[in-house]
Amino acid sequence: MALLSSSFRFARDWGECALNLAFPWPESAAAAPVRIKPPFCRQCGEPFPALPADDPSFICHHCAERKWHFQWARAGYRTEGQVLEAITGFKYRDEYYRYRQLSAWLVETFDRYAGHDSWDALVPVPLYHRRHRERGFNQAHELARNLARARKMRVLDVLYRYRETDSQAELDREARWKNMAGAFQMKRGFDVKGSRLLLLDDVFTTGATVDACAQALAKAGARQLAVLTVARS
Ligand SMILES: [Zn+2]
């Protein structure tokens, strides 16, 4: 399996390299990336521009109502324009080369919000195995791998998604939470007791997916849990 996966990566990287030489990247017509800036909710990271900039204690009404299993979540950009184009291309249109731009955005977001803390490992949100097979890769794992390489960190692929939880895009907020509850478990043979873990994904939408991951990690004894995504809707 490991051999298969590395041969796949090798072939893909070479294919991509040849493609880039033949067809340099076109200029995107989509709107420029919109960076998310403070002030924001200290827990979920949703920006509230009318807040006083010197009030870091604000918690939004979603967070006041819900008990998250992570301490905080931050995202670099809004899921729109060039960022949306890169994410959908990467995940749904076989544009693997998008990982470079997405990873660069993630590294920059990491430096802004998480670089001052120390982490034992990065934990990518896993895909359901059937989806993983169809796509050929897990976007969260690819981004985690690149961030780990750039900032000398470790990736721990410790979570298993043991049931299909897709078609999330068609579900409303509450249905997403129900659909996601208990969808992730720890893989056997890993110990995260006392660890400081940073969960990684491409997009934060309602937070249901990352929270279900955080719940599994918290149950396994992780000491500190936070979430970093390239974008949020
Ligand atoms: Zn919030």
Side-chain angles (χ1 to χ4, degrees):
M1 197 62 195
L3 183 66
L4 253 181
S5 141
S6 69
S7 338
F8 165 72
R9 266 204 291 274
F10 179 78
R12 185 187 58 200
D13 289 349
W14 273 103
E16 181 203 320
C17 183
L19 203 67
N20 285 342
L21 286 174
F23 306 101
W25 290 5
E27 281 292 309
S28 171
V34 176
R35 188 187 266 199
I36 292 175
K37 292 187 206 139
F40 37 54
C41 166
R42 80 173 149 88
Q43 189 148 30
C44 72
E46 174 66 24
F48 287 85
L51 278 177
D54 58 354
D55 178 10
S57 63
F58 174 77
I59 288 201
C60 76
H61 70 283
H62 289 304
C63 294
E65 281 166 15
R66 194 172 292 283
K67 163 114 183 60
W68 297 105
H69 294 88
F70 52 81
Q71 278 85 51
W72 53 259
R74 297 290 181 267
Y77 296 86
R78 282 290 180 202
T79 317
E80 57 189 52
Q82 289 173 19
V83 177
L84 176 62
E85 188 178 75
I87 289 169
T88 51
F90 189 42
K91 281 159 75 169
Y92 306 119
R93 293 197 303 265
D94 222 7
E95 296 167 1
Y96 184 76
Y97 67 90
R98 301 278 194 182
Y99 83 89
R100 280 188 291 193
Q101 178 62 75
L102 289 166
S103 300
W105 283 327
L106 184 66
V107 169
E108 181 242 301
T109 304
F110 175 85
D111 290 344
R112 262 194 281 158
Y113 299 121
H116 54 274
D117 288 326
S118 65
W119 303 100
D120 294 308
L122 305 173
V123 178
V125 170
L127 283 182
Y128 186 61
H129 60 85
R130 193 182 306 137
R131 176 56 57 94
H132 196 148
R133 240 189 348 257
E134 283 163 12
R135 194 170 292 166
F137 63 91
N138 169 8
Q139 72 278 1
H141 190 271
E142 297 300 296
L143 298 176
R145 202 160 55 87
N146 286 298
L147 173 57
R149 194 183 295 150
R151 291 295 174 265
K152 311 264 178 293
M153 297 166 79
R154 201 156 66 106
V155 177
L156 266 186
D157 221 343
V158 290
L159 291 174
Y160 177 67
R161 192 170 193 143
Y162 71 96
R163 64 181 172 78
E164 185 72 89
T165 49
D166 286 316
S167 65
Q168 282 277 297
E170 294 151 26
L171 300 174
D172 67 19
R173 199 178 181 91
E174 272 317 302
R176 276 183 182 225
W177 283 90
K178 290 206 185 95
N179 187 31
M180 203 49 78
F184 299 91
Q185 280 194 346
M186 284 282 297
K187 289 181 184 168
R188 275 190 217 158
F190 286 100
D191 184 4
V192 295
K193 234 176 246 135
S195 307
R196 293 155 302 179
L197 304 173
L198 186 59
L199 269 160
L200 289 183
D201 207 357
D202 52 346
V203 180
F204 183 104
T205 306
T206 60
T209 307
V210 284
D211 193 59
C213 291
Q215 186 173 15
L217 294 167
K219 203 170 145 202
R223 175 157 61 94
Q224 189 184 331
L225 288 163
V227 176
L228 200 69
T229 57
V230 175
R232 71 176 287 149
S233 48

